Amino acid sequence: MDTTTRTTTTDASTTDAPKRPSAARTRLIDSATRLFYEEGIHAVGVDRIIEEAAVTRATLYKQFGGKENLVLAYLRNEDEMLRSMFADAGAEVADPAQLVDAVIEGIAADIRLRHTRGCPFINAAAEYPDAEGAVRQLIEEHREWFRSTLQGVAELAGLNSPAEVAASLVLLRDAALVGGYLDGEDRVAPAFERTARSVVDAHRSR
C-alpha cells in the first residue's frame, strides 16, 4: 500500500511539474530576440532565424507555427524580463520611497546597457500598424501592466496623484529609449534620471 501511494504521488508530481522549453525553442527565441531587435522584425526572414538558431524549418513551425507566433514569443520574453526586473527590485528594497529610486535607476541602466536601439515594443508597434492584431494587443497589455505597476509603486511611496506620476514616467522612459538610440546613452540616461526624479519630487507631500 505504501509503495503504491508513493508511486502515485511521484507520478502526479511529475505530471504537474512545468515543462522546460526545449533547447531548440530557446535558441529560436534567443536568435529572434537579437535579430528582431537589432535589424527589425520585417527585415529578418524565417531562413535567417533558422540559420542563426541552427534548427530546421520543420522545428520552427513545430514550435511556433509561423513567424508571427515567434514575434509574439519574442515580445513575451521581453515582457517577462521587465516583470522579473521589477520583482527583483521589490524583493531587494523594502522601503517604498527607495523602491521609486530603484525603479528610476533600473530604467536608466536598461537605457545604458540593454535596450540601446530603442524600446522593443515601440519598435514592434511601428512595424505592426493594425491596432486589433495580436502583436499590438500584446504590446497594449504590456504597456498597461507597466503603467499600472508604476502607479502602484507611486501609491506605496505616498506620492500625490500616482496615476500622473506613472503617466509621466512612462512618457519619459519612451522618450529616453528612443533618444538613447539617436543621441547616445551618455547624454540621455542622466537626463532621464534627472527629469524622472524631478517628477517624483514634485509629487511628494510637503
Side-chain angles (χ1 to χ4, degrees):
M1 180 69 70
D2 291 343
T3 303
T4 303
T5 302
R6 284 196 299 270
T7 302
T8 302
T9 302
T10 301
D11 290 343
S13 62
T14 301
T15 302
D16 293 340
K19 293 182 179 179
R20 293 182 178 180
S22 69
R25 183 181 182 87
T26 299
R27 290 201 306 275
L28 282 164
I29 293 176
D30 288 347
S31 297
T33 296
R34 186 180 68 77
L35 293 171
F36 288 160
Y37 185 67
E38 291 181 357
E39 301 181 21
I41 295 171
H42 292 328
V44 176
V46 167
D47 289 341
R48 178 85 181 283
I49 297 168
I50 289 170
E51 179 182 2
E52 181 84 11
V55 300
T56 64
R57 180 179 291 271
T59 298
L60 184 147
Y61 282 95
K62 178 181 178 181
Q63 292 291 330
F64 298 101
K67 183 178 177 180
E68 182 165 313
N69 284 336
L70 182 56
V71 172
L72 293 171
Y74 150 61
L75 293 173
R76 288 191 190 101
N77 191 49
E78 291 284 353
D79 173 72
E80 289 167 5
M81 283 190 283
L82 188 58
R83 288 176 189 248
S84 178
M85 184 186 81
F86 270 82
D88 290 345
E92 293 174 4
V93 181
D95 184 345
Q98 292 180 356
L99 182 57
V100 174
D101 289 336
V103 167
I104 292 173
E105 290 169 4
I107 293 173
D110 186 46
I111 296 165
R112 288 189 178 99
L113 303 174
R114 186 163 186 272
H115 287 126
T116 57
R117 296 177 64 84
C119 172
F121 296 95
I122 294 176
N123 295 350
E127 297 197 58
Y128 286 84
D130 180 8
E132 302 302 320
V135 171
R136 288 291 296 273
Q137 290 296 308
L138 191 156
I139 293 169
E140 181 178 342
E141 290 171 11
H142 165 79
R143 290 179 65 81
E144 184 54 39
W145 164 80
F146 185 58
R147 186 179 294 105
S148 64
T149 299
L150 289 175
Q151 181 173 335
V153 170
E155 289 172 353
L156 287 173
L159 300 180
N160 299 319
S161 304
E164 292 181 11
V165 175
S168 295
L169 292 179
V170 169
L171 180 64
L172 288 172
R173 177 179 181 267
D174 287 346
L177 285 168
V178 175
Y181 176 41
L182 296 176
D183 299 328
E185 53 86 9
D186 288 341
R187 176 179 296 174
V188 172
F192 164 78
E193 289 190 81
R194 186 170 59 251
T195 309
R197 293 187 195 285
S198 70
V199 168
V200 170
D201 289 342
H203 287 80
R204 293 192 192 279
S205 297
R206 303 300 179 185

